[in-house]
Amino acid sequence: MRQTLAQRHRMHHLALAQAAQAATADVHGQTVGTAYELQLAQLHQHRLRLKDLQSVEKKIEAKRVLLPEYDAYVDGVLQARPGTQDEVIATVLVWHIDAGNYARALEIADYALASGITPPDRFHRDLHTIVQDEVAEAVIEGKVKGREALQIVAKAMALTEAADTPDQAKSKLYKAAGWAVLGKTGSHDVDMAGRGVKACREALPLLQRAMQLDSRAGVKKDIERLERRLKPSAAEKAQAL
C-alpha cells in the first residue's frame, strides 16, 4: 500500500530522530530505532513479493513501484547522516540501480560509501564494486546516453576511484567513461573521424587506463582508431617545422 503524505512526513521525522539518537551512541554501529525497524520489516515483505516473481523485467517494474515507499526514510537519513550500518539504505541503493534511477542511486551512494555501509551478503560484492559494475554496464549497454551517461560515470568514478576494488570493475568503469565521451555503446559504434579532436583526446587516456587495468577490456581497437585519428597529418607536421 502506498504511503500517505502524513505517513511519509512521520517516517521522515522518525528517521531524523533516529539519527540524533545514533549520534549520542556508537556512530559506527548498527542502526536502531522505530523508523529503521519499520522500514526493515517493510523491506522483508517486499523481498518476499519480489521472490515470487520469475521475470527479471517484472522484478524491475515492481521495484520501481515499491521504491517510493522508502523515500521519506532515505531523505531523513541523508539529511541527518548518522553514519551507522543500514541494510535498508544499502538495499534501496541497489534497487534504484536496478530500476535505472542512477542519479538517485548515486545520491544515496555518496552517503553510504562515505559511511562505510556494507550490503547484505546476498549481493556478493561491496558497494564500491556494485557502483562501478552497474554504472559501467548501464553506459556500455546504452541504458543511459549523452549528458546523463557523462554525469553518472563521472560521479561513480569520483565516489569509487580510491577504493580497493577488482581491476576488472575499475577497468569497466574507465571503458564506460571513454565510450560516454565518444557517444559509443555496445550496440552503437561511432566514426572516430567524425568525432572532434577534443573528445578523442579526452577518451583516449580513459580507454588506455581501462586496457592497463584489464587487457581483455575490449578497447584495443578503439585505442588504435583514436591514435590514428589523433596522429598529425603530413601537412600538420610540415607546418610544425
Side-chain angles (χ1 to χ4, degrees):
M1 182 181 296
R2 188 175 295 277
Q3 290 176 326
T4 65
L5 181 61
Q7 288 172 326
R8 291 196 296 271
H9 181 76
R10 177 174 178 269
M11 182 57 68
H12 179 78
H13 283 277
L14 281 173
L16 289 175
Q18 171 180 290
Q21 178 184 355
T24 63
D26 179 7
V27 72
H28 297 296
Q30 174 65 48
T31 300
V32 295
T34 302
Y36 181 66
E37 291 168 2
L38 287 171
Q39 293 288 265
L40 200 59
Q42 177 174 265
L43 184 63
H44 176 69
Q45 293 301 317
H46 286 170
R47 279 203 296 258
L48 291 177
R49 286 171 59 180
L50 292 170
K51 189 175 181 180
D52 289 337
L53 299 174
Q54 299 298 313
S55 166
V56 172
E57 186 176 49
K58 288 187 180 297
K59 287 179 187 286
I60 291 172
E61 290 172 0
K63 287 175 182 177
R64 290 192 181 117
V65 172
L66 297 173
L67 279 167
E69 300 293 318
Y70 299 92
D71 279 345
Y73 174 79
V74 170
D75 288 342
V77 171
L78 295 185
Q79 181 179 339
R81 304 181 73 86
T84 50
Q85 171 61 22
D86 192 317
E87 182 176 340
V88 175
I89 289 291
T91 302
V92 168
L93 189 167
V94 175
W95 283 11
H96 272 296
I97 291 176
D98 294 341
N101 304 328
Y102 300 105
R104 178 62 161 170
L106 291 173
E107 179 188 16
I108 299 170
D110 191 1
Y111 162 72
L113 297 177
S115 300
I117 290 175
T118 58
D121 291 342
R122 64 180 176 277
F123 289 118
H124 306 298
R125 296 171 292 175
D126 63 25
L127 286 182
H128 287 92
T129 305
I130 289 172
V131 169
Q132 288 179 340
D133 276 337
E134 301 303 326
V135 168
E137 286 184 14
V139 174
I140 290 170
E141 294 175 6
K143 294 177 182 177
V144 287
K145 302 176 183 178
R147 183 178 296 275
E148 184 184 4
L150 289 168
Q151 290 173 340
I152 68 165
V153 78
K155 179 71 170 179
M157 291 179 78
L159 290 176
T160 65
E161 178 60 27
D164 180 19
T165 55
D167 288 344
Q168 292 83 354
K170 194 165 289 186
S171 169
K172 193 190 302 183
L173 192 58
Y174 272 96
K175 174 181 177 177
W179 279 20
V181 171
L182 295 170
K184 176 176 178 175
T185 67
S187 60
H188 175 71
D189 203 354
V190 295
D191 177 12
M192 298 298 183
R195 285 292 177 269
V197 171
K198 181 180 178 181
C200 291
R201 284 177 176 165
E202 185 179 344
L204 181 57
L206 294 169
L207 297 179
Q208 288 172 330
R209 180 59 175 154
M211 184 77 168
Q212 182 182 34
L213 288 164
D214 181 6
S215 61
R216 295 180 294 178
V219 296
K220 184 177 180 180
K221 290 185 178 179
D222 290 325
I223 291 172
E224 291 172 351
R225 292 164 66 198
L226 284 169
E227 288 175 339
R228 286 196 299 269
R229 171 72 176 89
L230 294 171
K231 186 177 181 180
S233 66
E236 289 171 330
K237 288 180 180 177
Q239 187 177 8
L241 294 174

